[in-house]
Amino acid sequence: MNKNSSNIMALAPSTSNKRETVCIFGTGDFGRALGHKMIQSGYPVVFGSRSTQTSSLIPKGAEVLSHAEAAQKAAIIIIAIQRQHYNFLTPLAEILHGKVLVDVSNNLKINQYPESNAEYLAQLVPGAKVVKAFNTVSAWALQSGTLDASRQVFVCGDDTEAKQMVMDIVRALGLTPVDQGSLLAAQEIENYPLQLFPMWKFPILLSLGLTTFFFFYCLIRSVIYPYVYENEDFSFFLAISIPNRICPILALILLALVYLPGVLAAIIQLYRGTKYRRFPDWLDKWMLCRKQLGLVALAFASLHVLYTLVIPIRSFVRWRISSRIISQALNNKTEPLNTTNAWLSDSYLALGILGFFLFVLLGITSLPSVSNNVNWREFRFVQSKLGYLTLILCTAHTLVYGGNRFLSPSSYRWYLPNAYMLSLIVPCIVLVVKFVLIFPCLDKPLTRIRQGWERNPQYSE
Amino acid sequence: MNKNSSNIMALAPSTSNKRETVCIFGTGDFGRALGHKMIQSGYPVVFGSRSTQTSSLIPKGAEVLSHAEAAQKAAIIIIAIQRQHYNFLTPLAEILHGKVLVDVSNNLKINQYPESNAEYLAQLVPGAKVVKAFNTVSAWALQSGTLDASRQVFVCGDDTEAKQMVMDIVRALGLTPVDQGSLLAAQEIENYPLQLFPMWKFPILLSLGLTTFFFFYCLIRSVIYPYVYENEDFSFFLAISIPNRICPILALILLALVYLPGVLAAIIQLYRGTKYRRFPDWLDKWMLCRKQLGLVALAFASLHVLYTLVIPIRSFVRWRISSRIISQALNNKTEPLNTTNAWLSDSYLALGILGFFLFVLLGITSLPSVSNNVNWREFRFVQSKLGYLTLILCTAHTLVYGGNRFLSPSSYRWYLPNAYMLSLIVPCIVLVVKFVLIFPCLDKPLTRIRQGWERNPQYSE
Amino acid sequence: MNKNSSNIMALAPSTSNKRETVCIFGTGDFGRALGHKMIQSGYPVVFGSRSTQTSSLIPKGAEVLSHAEAAQKAAIIIIAIQRQHYNFLTPLAEILHGKVLVDVSNNLKINQYPESNAEYLAQLVPGAKVVKAFNTVSAWALQSGTLDASRQVFVCGDDTEAKQMVMDIVRALGLTPVDQGSLLAAQEIENYPLQLFPMWKFPILLSLGLTTFFFFYCLIRSVIYPYVYENEDFSFFLAISIPNRICPILALILLALVYLPGVLAAIIQLYRGTKYRRFPDWLDKWMLCRKQLGLVALAFASLHVLYTLVIPIRSFVRWRISSRIISQALNNKTEPLNTTNAWLSDSYLALGILGFFLFVLLGITSLPSVSNNVNWREFRFVQSKLGYLTLILCTAHTLVYGGNRFLSPSSYRWYLPNAYMLSLIVPCIVLVVKFVLIFPCLDKPLTRIRQGWERNPQYSE
C-alpha cells in the first residue's frame, strides 16, 4: 500500500472502540512514540510508570498508572524499558501471569549478552507469553510517520496466539509483521538493527585495497614517468584518465573473483572425491559474498562506461585530436583508412558493450524482487551461464584492447607492464581452469560427486 | 510465482469437489467475472439475482436463484452490487445472519461517503460478518487473466475466521491476500484504487513550474539575445542545448530541496528547544515527499547525462569543432595544451560522473524491494551520508563548470546571469547551513533534543 | 532479513529443546540435506530407512530407524523418496493415520503424471494430512547455505493446521513459506522448478528470427554492395555499425508489437459487438507476453544507446571526420553552418533521448516490487499512456533520422530500401489505427462494449 496510508489512517476518525487496551511499561522516548501511534490507530493506551504523575510529554488520551495497576488493565504489555531494569518485573510475576509481554528492546553491540533480551525476559517472568517485536522501528519514524525504510516488523515468540495478537497491532499501525518463528530467533532479530551492511565489508575493503595499489601504479607510469623523462605535466590525468584505468581493472578482477571460488570448490571436491567434507572457512565465506563482489564489480564497470563515454568531450582529447589533424593538414598528407585499426577499435568497443550489457542484466536479476520471481533452475542459468559469458566478453574486451601493444617495448616503463595486463591474470586463470573442468573426464566424476557419490566412502567422517 | 500460474491452474482439471459453494449477489460485469474465475478454480458458484432467468452471460456451470435462495446455499456471499442498492439487503437480514458478506465495491471519488461502503454494509446487516476484499482487482483483469499490475488483494474485517475464509479464496484464484486488519481499514482500501500517484503531484507540479521558468530564461539568453544583437539563428538550441541547461539546473535544485526540509526542521527544533511540538503543516508535507522529489531530480540528472553524452554526435558541434580546426590550420598556428583548461574540464566531468553514480545508487536503494532488505541504520547511512555526498559532488560539479566565467562580463546578457548560477543558490544555502549545524555547539544540543531532552519543559503543551 | 541470517542462526547455540521431532523417510541426498539443516535449527531428526545401519553420511545427531519406528516418533513425516517408490507406504497406512506427510518430490518433466505427486500420495494414504512443500529448494542450497535464489517455499495442503506446522518449520530454517491454498495447487508447485523462463520463449525466438533477417539484409546493403561496386572493405561494420542498425530496428518493431494486440482486440470487439466471446488463441497468448516483448525491446534500445554513444570514439569515425576536415583545409574552403541540418540532427537526437528515457521508466515500473506498489489505475496510466507516448517518440525519432533521405535514390541499393524504413511499417500501422480508434464514433461504442454492453445480445453464446 502507499507510503501515506498510515497517515490517512491516522487522520481518519477512530470511531470504533473495539480495540483492546494496550499497556506500555516505561514512559521513555520509544514508549511514548509507540503509545502516540497506537492512540492514533484507535487503541486505548495505559502507561505503567514508577511515578504516576501525568507528564506533559505523555500522549493525550493515555492514562498513567503504577506498573501493577496498568498491567491489570490490559492483556498485552509492551516492555519499553532497558534490559538492565528488567528485574523490577520479578515482583510483578503474579500479575503478569498469562499476559503477553512484548519485548521491544535493542542492544548497543551485536551479541552483547549470552541470551537475547526476549529470552532473558521469558526466564524472569516464566508465566508470561513473551513476544519479540518492534525493535527494528525507530521512535523518530513512528512519530514523524516517515517510514521510508523497511516497514517490516520482525515478530517471534513461542505462543502462536500471543504472536498473532501482536501481529494484528503491527498491522493496525500500518506496518508489516514478519513472523520469524519461535523465540529462538530473538537473538537474530536483536542483532539486525545494529548491522551496517555486514556482507559488503569484505568486497569493499578488498576493492579499496586494490584501488589504492593500482592508483599508485598508474600514477607512477602515467604521471611521474613522463614528468621525470619528458618533463611533461600530465597531473590532470588524476581526474579521468587514471580512474578510467583503475575502474575497468577492478571490474574485471572482482568479476573473476566471483567465479574463482566455484572453480576452487570444484577442484577441492575432485581431489577429495566427496562433497561431504566442509570447505575451508575462507572459501565458505568467500562463496557467501559473491553477490556483493559482483555488484561492486558492476559499479566499477558502470563508472568505466561513464568515464569512457565522456572521452570525446574532454578538453585534452579535443586538443590532441585537433593538433594531430592540423599537423597533417600542414604537412599536406592524408592518412588512408587503416582497416586493421578499424577492426580492432570496433571489436574492442563491441565486446565491451555486450559484456557491460550482460553485466547489467546480471545485476538486475540480483534485485531481491526479481530473484524472488525466478526459480532455482532459472537463477542458476542466469548467474552461471550468463555470468561466464560476461566474464569471457570482458576478458576478450581487455585482450583486444591490448591488441598489438603486448609485446611493444614502449608499454614497459621502468619495467612495469601496462596495468591492464595485470588485470588479465585472474580472469584468464579462472577461464582456463573452467575450460579444463568442462572436459568429460573431469565433468563426469564432478557431477557424480555433486549428486552424492563418493570415491572412498570409508574415508568420510 | 510466475505470471502464468493462474492460467495453468485454470486449465488443470478441477477434479476436487471439496471447495465450498460461494454465492454472488449481482450479475453485473464484476460479479460475472468473479464468478467465472471462481468456477475455473473449482468453486461451485450460485448467483443471487432479482430475475432468476439464466442469461447467456452468466458463466457456464453457475446457478441463478433469487437472493434469498442463493444466500441459503452458501456461507460466503459476495455483494457485487453498488452501494446505492445495498438497502435491499435489509429484508434479508435474517437469512444473512452469521454469513460472511464480502464487500467488493468501489466509489467514484475519494472519501465519497462519511463511512466506507463496508462499514455501511456492516451497519445494515449487523448479524453478518463483513469482509472487505477484491476491490483493487478489475473485472477485465479477472476475465483476461492478464494480472500484470499488483496481484495484491487487500482484505480487512473484524471477524478473523471470516477474513481467513476470504483470504483462502483469494489465494485459490491466484492472487495475493494482504491482511489490512479490522474493518476500520476499509475506507483506506476503498480509496486506494482511485489514487493516481498522490505523492508525486507536488514534485511534478513544482518541476513543471521551474522547467517553464528556466525554459524562457534560457530562451531569452541563448536564442533571442543573439538573434537581436548578432542576427544569428540559434533556434535549434531548443532541441538539445536548452534542455541540457534546464535538466542539470532542475536536478540540482530538486536534490537540494530534498535536504532543505531536514535542515529547516533542525533549526526549528533548536529554536524551540524541544522536539515535541508539531512542525508546520507545509514542512510535514514537504518531508513526506522527499523521496519523490529525489527521484524526479534523478530523472532530470539522467536526461542531463544523455544530453551531454550525445554532444559530440551533434551536427552543430561537429561543425563548430571542424571550423575551428580549419581556421587554425589556415592561419598556420597550433595552440599548445592549456593544462589549466584540461584540469578544469576533466575535474568538472569527473565530479559529475561521481555525483551521478552516487545519485543512481540512492535511486536503487529507494526501490521497494531493496529498501525492504535494509535496516534503519543502513537506510539512514545511505540516504543521509551518501545523499549529502551526492549533493556536495553535484554542487562542486556546477561550480567547477562555471570556473572562471563567474566574473566574466560576457556571461551577463541583458544583466541576466547564466542560468546555472541561479541553480547554485539553494544547494549552497543547504550545504552552508548543514555545515554550521555540524559544529559541536549546535550538534550536541540538537542530538539531545532529538533524544527527548527539552530546554524549557514547562512550555511544552 | 539479511542473506546471512540463516547462518547466524545455525551458529547460535540451539539451547531450546522445545522443537518437535521431525521424521524423514529416505536417506538420499535431499533427505540428508534437509535433516542436516533441521538439526542445525534445533529440531530432533529421526530418519526412516530400509537398512537401519547408521551411514557415515547421515547428519550427526540424527537417529536412523525402520520406517515404522521412525514414523511413530514424530507428528510430521517428510517423504524424501521418489514417487515410483511411494507404494511402500501402503502397508504403513495405519501408523501414518493422522500424521502430517510432507511431499517434497519433483518430477523430471512438466505434467509428467496425470495427478500431482502430492495428490497421489494423499490417495495412497487417505488417513494422513498431505502437505506439499520444499520442492523448490535444492539440496545443494540447503547444505551450502547460499540461498541466493528465491527463498520462497510454496506450501499447499487441505489441512490448515498441518500446513501451519510445516510453514513454521520452513520459517525456522530461514526460508519464506508462501501459502498456495489447497492440495489442488500441488501440480503447479511441482511444475514450477522445471520451468526455464516459459514466458520469454516467444519474444526471444521472435527477436532472434528478426535479428537474423536484418543482419543479412544490412550485410548485403552495407558490406557486400560497396565491396562489389566500389571494392571497399567495410567488413569491420560487422562489429558496431550493423548491430547499431539492427538494435534500433528490433527495439521499434518489438515495441510496436507490444501495442498491436491491444489494437487488434479493439477491432475484434468492435466488429463482434461484444466482449463476451473469447479472442483467438494466438491473440490471447500474444497479449500475455507483452511485458516480455517490451523488456526485450528495451534491451535492444539500451544496446542501441550504448552503440550510438561510442560512435565518436571509433577509430573509423575519427578517421572519417579528420580526413573530411583535412580535405576542407587543403581546399581552403569553410562550410557555413547548415541550420536545417543542425535542426534535423538535434531533434532526431532529442526525440531518441526522450523516447529512451520513457522506455526506461516503463521498464522500471515493470519491476515486480514497483508494480506491486502501484494500483490498477496507475499501472494502466503508465503502461498505456506513457507506453504510447514512448512509441510515438521512438517512431518520430526514426522518421526524423530518415529526414530527406526517404526519396533519395542513393538510399536504394539493389532496390533494397534502407533497413530503418522497413522498421517503420508496424509502428506506423499501430499508431494510425490507434488514432482512428480514438475518434468518438468508435471510442464510445468500444467503451460501452468493454463495460458489458452488447450489440446483438441474442448472438452471444
Side-chain angles (χ1 to χ4, degrees):
Chain A
M1 209 129 195
N2 226 310
K3 293 276 154 175
N4 60 336
S5 61
S6 63
N7 304 306
I8 289 175
M9 203 148 106
L11 300 170
S14 39
T15 44
S16 147
N17 39 23
K18 277 171 271 178
R19 305 266 202 212
E20 270 183 52
T21 303
V22 174
C23 165
I24 298 173
F25 275 14
T27 54
D29 208 30
F30 189 77
R32 293 196 307 261
L34 205 54
H36 180 74
K37 189 86 189 163
M38 283 177 165
I39 291 170
Q40 278 189 324
S41 307
Y43 285 95
V45 170
V46 53
F47 280 93
S49 174
R50 269 163 306 176
S51 79
T52 56
Q53 273 189 292
T54 307
S55 147
S56 64
L57 297 175
I58 297 293
K60 275 182 193 165
E63 244 181 310
V64 182
L65 302 172
S66 76
H67 287 122
E69 286 172 316
Q72 271 160 339
K73 291 217 168 186
I76 295 183
I77 297 153
I78 290 165
I79 312 293
I81 51 180
Q82 288 177 306
R83 179 192 170 119
Q84 303 92 282
H85 309 306
Y86 277 9
N87 41 19
F88 90 93
L89 291 168
T90 329
L92 298 167
E94 212 162 305
I95 298 164
L96 298 178
H97 192 87
K99 303 267 183 190
V100 178
L101 300 192
V102 186
D103 185 303
V104 302
S105 65
N106 268 323
N107 294 324
L108 296 171
K109 274 185 272 171
I110 285 182
N111 291 328
Q112 195 172 358
Y113 298 99
E115 80 284 73
S116 67
N117 300 353
E119 285 166 307
Y120 175 63
L121 180 61
Q123 285 163 22
L124 279 179
V125 196
K129 302 161 191 163
V130 173
V131 175
K132 179 88 207 175
F134 289 114
N135 70 313
T136 53
V137 189
S138 80
W140 185 80
L142 278 173
Q143 247 165 358
S144 66
T146 52
L147 290 153
D148 280 325
S150 176
R151 307 182 140 246
Q152 292 183 334
V153 172
F154 298 111
V155 180
C156 75
D158 288 333
D159 188 284
T160 316
E161 219 174 311
K163 207 156 64 175
Q164 201 58 49
M165 285 163 76
V166 175
M167 285 167 75
D168 283 341
I169 296 177
V170 172
R171 238 176 253 123
L173 303 191
L175 301 162
T176 313
V178 180
D179 188 341
Q180 293 291 106
S182 80
L183 209 59
L184 270 179
Q187 183 100 24
E188 198 192 332
I189 296 178
E190 287 172 13
N191 284 337
Y192 182 68
L194 297 167
Q195 296 173 343
L196 188 63
F197 299 114
M199 302 302 285
W200 291 86
K201 246 170 226 163
F202 171 66
I204 284 173
L205 285 179
L206 177 69
S207 54
L208 280 182
L210 286 172
T211 303
T212 317
F213 170 73
F214 281 108
F215 176 76
F216 286 108
Y217 192 94
C218 293
L219 191 73
I220 290 169
R221 273 188 49 100
S222 308
V223 177
I224 297 177
Y225 182 94
Y227 188 75
V228 169
Y229 281 80
E230 299 153 28
N231 201 19
E232 288 201 83
D233 177 12
F234 285 146
S235 60
F236 60 88
F237 276 11
L238 284 175
I240 292 191
S241 301
I242 289 181
N244 198 21
R245 238 163 260 172
I246 296 171
C247 287
I249 289 170
L250 261 98
L252 189 59
I253 293 180
L254 292 176
L255 182 61
L257 289 181
V258 170
Y259 292 98
L260 187 54
V263 162
L264 290 180
I267 293 173
I268 291 175
Q269 287 181 337
L270 269 176
Y271 174 78
R272 289 181 176 167
T274 175
K275 71 165 187 178
Y276 294 109
R277 273 163 65 199
R278 281 187 67 101
F279 292 127
D281 231 38
W282 55 267
L283 189 56
D284 261 351
K285 278 188 193 153
W286 190 352
M287 290 181 99
L288 284 172
C289 70
R290 282 182 292 180
K291 180 181 160 184
Q292 284 75 15
L293 270 173
L295 289 175
V296 174
L298 178 56
F300 280 106
S302 312
L303 279 174
H304 170 49
V305 168
L306 284 173
Y307 278 124
T308 303
L309 292 178
V310 298
I311 284 178
I313 318 178
R314 290 174 63 194
S315 161
F316 166 68
V317 173
R318 284 188 174 169
W319 168 83
R320 203 179 49 189
I321 288 173
S322 71
S323 61
R324 199 179 298 158
I325 293 174
I326 291 167
S327 83
Q328 282 184 38
L330 294 182
N331 294 327
N332 210 348
K333 71 167 186 201
T334 334
E335 267 178 15
L337 173 63
N338 182 335
T339 323
T340 317
N341 268 356
W343 256 114
L344 276 178
S345 143
D346 276 15
S347 52
Y348 144 66
L349 290 169
L351 286 168
I353 288 171
L354 292 174
F356 180 66
F357 174 75
L358 286 184
F359 212 158
V360 171
L361 269 196
L362 289 178
I364 291 173
T365 53
S366 74
L367 281 174
S369 71
V370 177
S371 65
N372 253 337
N373 280 282
V374 150
N375 68 31
W376 190 251
R377 194 179 161 211
E378 293 165 342
F379 185 79
R380 276 243 295 265
F381 175 80
V382 170
Q383 295 296 333
S384 165
K385 299 271 163 69
L386 286 194
Y388 267 106
L389 189 54
T390 309
L391 184 58
I392 292 170
L393 286 171
C394 292
T395 311
H397 166 73
T398 314
L399 283 168
V400 176
Y401 166 76
N404 37 26
R405 259 176 289 177
F406 272 107
L407 296 173
S408 144
S410 72
S411 307
Y412 297 85
R413 295 177 170 174
W414 283 334
Y415 304 103
L416 298 175
N418 253 321
Y420 75 87
M421 295 185 195
L422 301 183
S423 77
L424 281 166
I425 299 168
V426 189
C428 285
I429 291 173
V430 171
L431 288 178
V432 167
V433 177
K434 180 72 188 178
F435 181 71
V436 170
L437 285 172
I438 286 171
F439 281 108
C441 59
L442 290 172
D443 188 47
K444 266 189 201 162
L446 188 60
T447 308
R448 271 195 297 163
I449 286 168
R450 287 191 172 159
Q451 283 166 350
W453 174 83
E454 291 192 287
R455 196 163 46 226
N456 307 311
Q458 69 274 19
Y459 285 133
S460 64
E461 335 145 33
Chain B
M1 209 126 195
N2 225 312
K3 294 275 153 176
N4 60 336
S5 61
S6 62
N7 303 305
I8 289 174
M9 202 147 108
L11 300 170
S14 38
T15 44
S16 147
N17 40 23
K18 279 171 268 178
R19 305 268 203 211
E20 269 184 52
T21 303
V22 174
C23 165
I24 298 173
F25 275 13
T27 54
D29 206 33
F30 190 78
R32 291 196 310 259
L34 205 55
H36 181 74
K37 189 87 189 164
M38 283 175 165
I39 290 170
Q40 277 190 324
S41 307
Y43 284 96
V45 170
V46 53
F47 280 94
S49 174
R50 269 164 304 176
S51 79
T52 57
Q53 274 190 291
T54 307
S55 147
S56 65
L57 296 176
I58 297 293
K60 274 181 193 164
E63 243 182 311
V64 183
L65 302 171
S66 75
H67 286 122
E69 285 173 315
Q72 272 161 338
K73 291 217 168 186
I76 295 183
I77 297 154
I78 290 165
I79 312 293
I81 52 180
Q82 288 177 306
R83 179 192 171 119
Q84 303 93 282
H85 309 308
Y86 277 8
N87 41 18
F88 88 92
L89 292 167
T90 328
L92 298 168
E94 213 161 303
I95 298 165
L96 299 178
H97 191 87
K99 304 268 183 188
V100 178
L101 301 191
V102 185
D103 185 303
V104 300
S105 65
N106 268 322
N107 294 324
L108 297 172
K109 274 185 273 172
I110 284 181
N111 290 328
Q112 195 173 358
Y113 299 99
E115 79 285 73
S116 68
N117 300 353
E119 286 167 305
Y120 175 63
L121 180 62
Q123 285 164 22
L124 280 178
V125 195
K129 301 160 191 165
V130 173
V131 174
K132 180 88 207 176
F134 288 114
N135 70 313
T136 52
V137 189
S138 80
W140 185 80
L142 279 174
Q143 249 167 354
S144 67
T146 53
L147 289 152
D148 279 326
S150 176
R151 305 181 142 247
Q152 292 183 332
V153 171
F154 297 111
V155 180
C156 75
D158 288 333
D159 187 285
T160 316
E161 219 174 311
K163 208 157 62 174
Q164 201 57 49
M165 285 163 76
V166 175
M167 285 167 74
D168 283 341
I169 296 178
V170 171
R171 239 175 254 123
L173 304 192
L175 301 162
T176 314
V178 180
D179 187 342
Q180 292 291 106
S182 80
L183 210 58
L184 269 178
Q187 184 99 26
E188 198 192 331
I189 294 178
E190 288 172 11
N191 284 337
Y192 182 68
L194 298 167
Q195 296 172 344
L196 189 63
F197 298 113
M199 304 301 286
W200 291 86
K201 246 170 225 162
F202 171 67
I204 284 173
L205 285 178
L206 177 70
S207 55
L208 280 183
L210 285 171
T211 303
T212 317
F213 170 74
F214 281 108
F215 176 76
F216 285 109
Y217 192 94
C218 293
L219 191 73
I220 290 169
R221 272 188 49 100
S222 308
V223 178
I224 297 178
Y225 182 93
Y227 187 77
V228 168
Y229 281 80
E230 300 154 28
N231 201 21
E232 288 202 83
D233 177 12
F234 284 145
S235 60
F236 61 86
F237 276 11
L238 285 175
I240 292 191
S241 301
I242 290 182
N244 198 21
R245 238 162 259 172
I246 296 171
C247 286
I249 289 171
L250 261 99
L252 189 58
I253 293 180
L254 291 177
L255 182 60
L257 290 181
V258 170
Y259 292 97
L260 187 51
V263 163
L264 290 180
I267 294 173
I268 290 176
Q269 287 180 337
L270 270 176
Y271 174 77
R272 288 180 177 168
T274 175
K275 71 164 186 180
Y276 295 108
R277 273 163 63 198
R278 280 186 68 100
F279 292 127
D281 232 37
W282 55 266
L283 189 57
D284 261 351
K285 277 188 194 154
W286 190 353
M287 290 182 98
L288 283 172
C289 69
R290 282 182 293 179
K291 180 182 159 182
Q292 283 76 15
L293 270 174
L295 288 175
V296 173
L298 178 56
F300 279 107
S302 311
L303 279 174
H304 170 50
V305 168
L306 285 174
Y307 278 124
T308 303
L309 292 178
V310 298
I311 284 178
I313 317 179
R314 290 174 63 195
S315 161
F316 166 67
V317 173
R318 285 189 173 170
W319 168 83
R320 204 179 50 189
I321 289 173
S322 72
S323 60
R324 201 178 296 157
I325 294 175
I326 291 167
S327 84
Q328 282 185 39
L330 295 182
N331 296 327
N332 211 346
K333 71 167 185 202
T334 334
E335 268 178 14
L337 173 63
N338 182 335
T339 323
T340 316
N341 268 357
W343 256 114
L344 275 178
S345 144
D346 275 15
S347 52
Y348 144 65
L349 289 170
L351 286 167
I353 287 171
L354 292 174
F356 180 67
F357 174 76
L358 286 184
F359 211 158
V360 171
L361 269 196
L362 288 178
I364 290 173
T365 53
S366 74
L367 281 174
S369 72
V370 177
S371 64
N372 252 337
N373 279 284
V374 150
N375 69 31
W376 190 252
R377 194 179 161 210
E378 293 165 342
F379 185 79
R380 277 242 296 265
F381 175 79
V382 170
Q383 295 296 332
S384 164
K385 298 270 163 69
L386 286 193
Y388 266 106
L389 189 55
T390 309
L391 184 58
I392 291 170
L393 285 170
C394 292
T395 312
H397 167 72
T398 315
L399 283 167
V400 176
Y401 167 76
N404 37 26
R405 261 177 288 178
F406 273 107
L407 296 173
S408 144
S410 73
S411 307
Y412 296 85
R413 295 175 169 175
W414 285 333
Y415 304 105
L416 298 175
N418 253 323
Y420 76 86
M421 296 186 194
L422 301 183
S423 77
L424 282 165
I425 299 169
V426 190
C428 286
I429 291 174
V430 171
L431 288 178
V432 167
V433 177
K434 180 72 189 176
F435 181 70
V436 170
L437 285 172
I438 285 171
F439 281 106
C441 59
L442 290 173
D443 188 46
K444 266 190 202 162
L446 188 59
T447 307
R448 270 196 297 163
I449 286 169
R450 288 192 170 156
Q451 284 167 350
W453 174 84
E454 292 192 287
R455 194 162 49 225
N456 306 310
Q458 68 275 20
Y459 284 134
S460 64
E461 332 146 36
Chain C
M1 209 128 194
N2 226 311
K3 294 275 155 174
N4 60 336
S5 60
S6 62
N7 304 305
I8 290 175
M9 204 148 108
L11 301 171
S14 39
T15 44
S16 147
N17 41 21
K18 276 172 271 178
R19 306 267 204 211
E20 270 183 51
T21 303
V22 174
C23 166
I24 299 174
F25 275 15
T27 54
D29 207 32
F30 190 77
R32 293 195 309 259
L34 204 54
H36 180 74
K37 189 88 189 162
M38 282 176 166
I39 290 170
Q40 277 190 324
S41 307
Y43 285 97
V45 170
V46 52
F47 281 94
S49 174
R50 271 163 305 175
S51 78
T52 56
Q53 274 190 290
T54 307
S55 146
S56 64
L57 297 175
I58 298 292
K60 275 182 192 164
E63 243 181 309
V64 183
L65 302 171
S66 74
H67 287 122
E69 286 172 316
Q72 270 160 340
K73 291 218 168 184
I76 295 183
I77 297 154
I78 290 166
I79 312 293
I81 52 180
Q82 289 177 306
R83 179 193 171 119
Q84 302 95 280
H85 309 307
Y86 277 8
N87 40 21
F88 89 93
L89 292 167
T90 330
L92 298 168
E94 213 162 303
I95 297 163
L96 299 177
H97 191 87
K99 304 268 183 188
V100 178
L101 301 190
V102 186
D103 185 304
V104 301
S105 64
N106 268 323
N107 294 324
L108 296 172
K109 275 185 272 172
I110 284 183
N111 291 327
Q112 194 172 359
Y113 298 99
E115 79 284 73
S116 67
N117 301 352
E119 286 167 306
Y120 174 63
L121 180 62
Q123 285 164 22
L124 280 178
V125 196
K129 300 161 190 164
V130 173
V131 174
K132 178 88 207 176
F134 289 113
N135 70 312
T136 53
V137 189
S138 80
W140 185 80
L142 278 174
Q143 248 166 356
S144 67
T146 52
L147 291 152
D148 280 326
S150 176
R151 306 181 141 247
Q152 292 183 333
V153 171
F154 298 111
V155 180
C156 75
D158 288 332
D159 187 283
T160 317
E161 219 173 311
K163 208 157 62 176
Q164 201 58 49
M165 285 163 75
V166 174
M167 285 166 74
D168 283 342
I169 295 178
V170 172
R171 239 176 254 123
L173 304 191
L175 301 161
T176 314
V178 180
D179 188 343
Q180 292 290 106
S182 80
L183 209 59
L184 270 179
Q187 182 100 26
E188 200 193 329
I189 295 178
E190 288 172 11
N191 284 337
Y192 181 69
L194 297 167
Q195 297 172 344
L196 187 65
F197 298 114
M199 304 301 285
W200 291 87
K201 247 169 224 163
F202 171 66
I204 284 174
L205 284 179
L206 177 70
S207 55
L208 280 183
L210 286 171
T211 303
T212 317
F213 170 73
F214 280 108
F215 176 76
F216 285 109
Y217 192 94
C218 293
L219 190 73
I220 290 169
R221 272 188 49 101
S222 307
V223 178
I224 297 178
Y225 182 93
Y227 187 76
V228 169
Y229 282 80
E230 299 154 30
N231 201 20
E232 287 202 82
D233 177 12
F234 284 146
S235 60
F236 61 86
F237 277 10
L238 285 175
I240 293 190
S241 301
I242 289 181
N244 198 20
R245 236 161 261 172
I246 296 171
C247 286
I249 289 171
L250 261 99
L252 189 59
I253 291 181
L254 291 176
L255 182 61
L257 289 181
V258 170
Y259 292 97
L260 187 54
V263 162
L264 290 179
I267 293 173
I268 290 175
Q269 287 180 337
L270 270 176
Y271 174 78
R272 288 180 177 169
T274 174
K275 71 163 186 179
Y276 294 109
R277 272 163 65 198
R278 280 187 68 100
F279 291 127
D281 231 36
W282 53 268
L283 189 56
D284 261 352
K285 278 187 194 155
W286 190 351
M287 291 181 98
L288 283 173
C289 69
R290 282 182 292 180
K291 180 182 159 183
Q292 283 76 14
L293 271 174
L295 288 175
V296 174
L298 178 56
F300 279 107
S302 312
L303 279 174
H304 170 49
V305 168
L306 285 174
Y307 278 124
T308 303
L309 292 178
V310 297
I311 285 178
I313 317 178
R314 289 174 63 194
S315 158
F316 166 68
V317 173
R318 284 189 172 169
W319 169 82
R320 203 178 52 190
I321 289 173
S322 71
S323 61
R324 201 179 295 157
I325 293 174
I326 291 167
S327 84
Q328 282 184 39
L330 295 181
N331 295 327
N332 211 346
K333 71 167 186 204
T334 335
E335 269 179 14
L337 172 64
N338 182 336
T339 323
T340 317
N341 269 357
W343 255 114
L344 275 178
S345 144
D346 276 15
S347 51
Y348 144 66
L349 290 169
L351 286 167
I353 287 171
L354 292 174
F356 180 66
F357 174 76
L358 287 184
F359 211 158
V360 171
L361 269 196
L362 289 178
I364 291 173
T365 54
S366 74
L367 281 174
S369 72
V370 177
S371 66
N372 253 337
N373 279 284
V374 149
N375 68 31
W376 191 251
R377 194 178 161 211
E378 293 165 342
F379 185 79
R380 277 243 296 267
F381 174 80
V382 171
Q383 295 296 333
S384 164
K385 298 269 164 68
L386 287 194
Y388 266 106
L389 189 54
T390 310
L391 185 58
I392 290 169
L393 285 170
C394 292
T395 312
H397 167 72
T398 315
L399 283 167
V400 176
Y401 166 75
N404 37 26
R405 258 177 289 178
F406 273 107
L407 297 174
S408 144
S410 73
S411 307
Y412 297 85
R413 295 177 170 175
W414 284 334
Y415 304 105
L416 298 175
N418 253 323
Y420 75 87
M421 295 187 194
L422 300 183
S423 77
L424 281 165
I425 299 170
V426 189
C428 286
I429 290 174
V430 171
L431 288 178
V432 167
V433 177
K434 181 72 188 177
F435 180 71
V436 170
L437 285 172
I438 285 170
F439 282 107
C441 58
L442 290 173
D443 188 47
K444 266 190 200 161
L446 189 59
T447 307
R448 270 196 297 162
I449 286 169
R450 288 193 170 157
Q451 284 166 350
W453 174 84
E454 293 193 286
R455 194 162 50 228
N456 307 310
Q458 69 275 18
Y459 285 132
S460 64
E461 334 147 32

